[in-house]
Amino acid sequence: GARPVVMHTWLALALALSPRSLSVRRRASAAQSRRCGPPVGAADVDIYGRAVLAPLEASASTAEPVVKVYSVHCSVNVAMPWSNKPQEESTGSGFTMRQQHDGQLVILTNAHCVADATYVEVRKAGDSQKHVAQVARIAHECDLATLTVSDDAFWEGVEPLEFGPMPSLQDEVSVVGYPEGGEGVSVTQGVVSRIEIQRYAHSGANLLAVQIDAAINPGNSGGPALNADGDVIGVAFQNQLDSQNIGYVIPAPIIAHYLVDDAPSDPRRPAGFPSLGIFWQALDNPQLRAYLGMEGRTGVRIRGVAPTAPAAALLRTGDVLLELDGHAIANDGSFAIGGQERLSFAHLIHLKFAHQTIGLRVLRAGEELELEVPVRPLQRLIPPTAYDEPLPYFIYAGLVFVPFVEPYLHEWGDDWQQDAPHELVQLVLSGAQSEAAEQPVLLSRVLPSPQTAGYLTLADRRVLSVNGERVLNLRQMHALVQRLQAECDHLAFEVQCVGGPAVIAIDTSTAEQEAKAILETYRIPAAASPDLCGQSET
């Protein structure tokens, strides 16, 4: 049977404002009167002279499903990870939904609304009470998070929203949320103006997004975008800087992937969106197509394969990718999804899950081949985010070593690509892993002391080696330093500089004593983060 129509105050308003057919307006009007009930009496008016409507008896259809999210954030200082940045507060939006796998009612919101959150509360529309919420699941890559509320009173009368189909261009949408500037729920309306791969500001990932011309302001993040039937077609999450009425919502395919994706190592985090791990070149030039023997076919040339990708064993540089899962790839790397819409072929890969395969048709040396290639999420050389978890570090004789994460460069401000050290910026923009565990280590600080005199200008540089042994990542480097400390008279750290590496030499006989004095002087609680301290004890 058909799902019963449940109408909420803001939804009835959105439908009434929409230039839809009379039947839709009648349905909205009927549902509104079911929700609000008749006026109490002719003399019962509010302070504005409006008729006061009698509240309905408690039922599952009376509670508003869009909630306001209050978060207290405290992020780590990426350059000095033993300390935190000042506490901040923010608000966002969310909405109730029912999980398919267990039927539990939860709240869906944006990950950036609760990133680094130490305390989260939610409040329903028209309710004065806030309820404590917990982050049950979070995916920073696609900017989505799931909240739970343990107080049963919060869920009384709550009717979850349902998800609708993928919208089409020019479809009408309503964005519901709690933008800054007031406490009440807000509804803005517009149409779908574009559907394509966009950069998600929170994580830097390039995933499918729907562009709408309804206003999405700070505080709207996490609220639902609804179609004309009141079904969710996306989650509001960002807007276009320096533009008016250009907002973006996370569409249903990305949300569906997040809801069912599981990481075996951590049930609170999805495994993520997979990648084929290829670098490709468009084949718009007819001379290049003739050189490759395309003969009327379309596709893109593979110019490289990531060494850590499963595809490295099956694909070769110079292969021409013709089809993905039966979809013909155009010379610009797009495929058709409708009469007037095209998307990057990367979206076909994003629809897969970790360790699934995708069907490829490639042209190699004039011969067409059909391959089944495994896909999985690939780690970037420099992780784009550093949320929710403590950042590891260790200090050796006044030298502070941290893993290189992109937020480290954000300390230079919005123009970090111009102002931060160019060698580090280049690693973020074009660096690639040569093996799975690789993550550069930075010398983030040189704490002034007699032993570090003359080394202060060498901070904010990548550590290349210790006593000639390559540094792979922070954990491996910490173990390397512990071993060499017991074996060598000096430790020589090579750090990256223009023209050739610089060397920092430390006398191991005085390093331990000097380290204790530095910790006391600078009030640092420990010489290493707890995870590395445990490593040294074993």
Side-chain angles (χ1 to χ4, degrees):
R3 180 169 57 84
V5 175
V6 178
M7 197 66 58
H8 305 281
T9 306
W10 43 263
L11 179 54
L13 174 63
L15 291 178
L17 294 174
S18 177
R20 302 283 294 173
S21 66
L22 259 181
S23 61
V24 172
R25 295 192 181 188
R26 289 192 185 118
R27 182 176 63 179
S29 176
Q32 173 71 358
S33 52
R34 284 201 302 273
R35 182 194 186 281
C36 298
V40 173
D44 293 320
V45 295
D46 63 16
I47 61 173
Y48 305 109
R50 300 176 301 188
V52 177
L53 301 177
L56 289 179
E57 297 179 0
S59 70
S61 64
T62 61
E64 300 285 2
V66 182
V67 302
K68 189 168 186 176
V69 180
Y70 301 81
S71 297
V72 178
H73 309 263
C74 192
S75 58
V76 67
N77 186 328
V78 291
M80 297 181 289
W82 58 86
S83 62
N84 289 328
K85 293 182 178 180
Q87 178 177 293
E88 297 179 355
E89 297 180 8
S90 67
T91 62
S93 305
F95 63 93
T96 58
M97 54 158 285
R98 189 180 300 278
Q99 296 186 138
Q100 291 186 354
H101 67 279
D102 60 5
Q104 180 184 2
L105 288 174
V106 296
I107 297 169
L108 188 65
T109 186
N110 282 143
H112 74 257
C113 292
V114 292
D116 290 321
T118 57
Y119 187 67
V120 181
E121 291 180 312
V122 294
R123 179 177 61 80
K124 293 185 288 187
D127 191 355
S128 61
Q129 182 181 359
K130 298 177 184 177
H131 299 261
V132 177
Q134 298 79 35
V135 179
R137 184 179 174 86
I138 191 165
H140 294 289
E141 181 183 16
C142 61
D143 200 2
L144 290 170
T146 304
L147 310 180
T148 58
V149 178
S150 57
D151 186 358
D152 292 337
F154 173 83
W155 299 107
E156 291 180 1
V158 169
E159 179 68 25
L161 291 177
E162 300 285 346
F163 288 94
M166 185 74 178
S168 300
L169 295 178
Q170 295 302 309
D171 278 1
E172 297 169 2
V173 292
S174 301
V175 177
V176 186
Y178 296 83
E180 293 178 353
E183 288 295 319
V185 69
S186 169
V187 181
T188 57
Q189 291 194 311
V191 298
V192 174
S193 54
R194 185 176 294 163
I195 302 174
E196 63 183 17
I197 303 293
Q198 292 283 350
R199 183 181 185 274
Y200 282 38
H202 179 61
S203 66
N206 293 302
L207 297 170
L208 187 67
V210 173
Q211 178 181 312
I212 59 177
D213 64 4
I216 296 180
N217 298 308
N220 268 126
S221 293
L226 309 170
N227 61 17
D229 295 324
D231 293 326
V232 178
I233 57 94
V235 176
F237 76 114
Q238 65 188 36
N239 57 20
Q240 180 72 46
L241 294 177
D242 303 322
S243 299
Q244 292 185 344
N245 293 343
I246 296 181
Y248 297 94
V249 301
I250 304 170
I254 302 298
I255 300 171
H257 193 286
Y258 160 78
L259 293 175
V260 300
D261 187 21
D262 286 319
S265 58
D266 186 356
R268 293 183 68 250
R269 297 179 185 274
F273 291 83
S275 170
L276 194 57
I278 64 171
F279 305 92
W280 56 274
Q281 175 186 2
L283 296 179
D284 295 316
N285 189 286
Q287 299 169 95
L288 180 56
R289 292 198 301 272
Y291 170 75
L292 295 173
M294 298 290 286
E295 298 178 353
R297 290 169 286 209
T298 62
V300 295
R301 177 182 176 271
I302 298 175
R303 58 182 179 84
V305 185
T308 58
L314 297 169
L315 297 176
R316 302 176 186 173
T317 299
D319 286 350
V320 176
L321 179 59
L322 304 175
E323 292 182 5
L324 270 176
D325 268 356
H327 296 272
I329 307 301
N331 294 322
D332 62 353
S334 66
F335 71 99
I337 58 170
Q340 297 180 338
E341 297 176 67
R342 303 190 69 86
L343 285 177
S344 167
F345 72 82
H347 181 59
L348 293 172
I349 304 169
H350 295 158
L351 296 177
K352 300 290 183 177
F353 293 90
H355 306 298
Q356 288 186 335
T357 62
I358 189 167
L360 274 64
R361 180 185 291 273
V362 300
L363 180 67
R364 178 181 298 169
E367 181 182 358
E368 289 191 12
L369 303 176
E370 293 191 359
L371 305 172
E372 286 291 327
V373 179
V375 294
R376 64 176 177 84
L378 297 179
Q379 299 300 317
R380 288 169 53 177
L381 178 66
I382 312 300
T385 61
Y387 298 115
D388 302 330
E389 301 290 342
L391 203 65
Y393 73 94
F394 78 90
I395 302 172
Y396 183 79
L399 308 177
V400 180
F401 301 103
V402 299
F404 188 9
V405 292
E406 186 177 317
Y408 187 94
L409 299 186
H410 298 172
E411 299 299 309
W412 275 264
D414 293 338
D415 293 327
W416 61 267
Q417 294 190 23
Q418 287 74 41
D419 298 336
H422 292 172
E423 299 88 348
L424 302 185
V425 172
Q426 198 61 32
L427 277 177
V428 170
L429 298 181
S430 59
Q433 285 184 327
S434 59
E435 52 185 293
E438 183 180 10
Q439 183 181 359
V441 175
L442 298 183
L443 174 60
S444 70
R445 292 289 184 273
V446 178
L447 303 175
S449 73
Q451 200 167 22
T452 60
Y455 296 150
L456 301 186
T457 59
L458 297 178
D460 299 318
R461 300 180 188 274
R462 180 184 183 181
V463 183
L464 301 176
S465 67
V466 183
N467 284 17
E469 297 191 38
R470 179 195 176 206
V471 170
L472 182 64
N473 55 51
L474 188 73
R475 179 172 292 275
Q476 174 262 353
M477 179 183 173
H478 182 258
L480 179 62
V481 168
Q482 295 294 312
R483 174 172 62 82
L484 295 176
Q485 164 72 20
E487 297 175 355
C488 304
D489 295 333
H490 289 81
L491 294 191
F493 299 88
E494 283 193 336
V495 295
Q496 187 177 24
C497 295
V498 176
V503 176
I504 298 174
I506 299 293
D507 187 339
T508 58
S509 64
T510 60
E512 186 174 349
Q513 181 179 356
E514 185 70 20
K516 292 180 180 179
I518 287 175
L519 294 181
E520 292 177 1
T521 300
Y522 293 96
R523 300 183 180 91
I524 300 173
S529 55
D531 58 325
L532 296 182
C533 286
Q535 175 188 1
S536 62
E537 291 172 0
T538 57

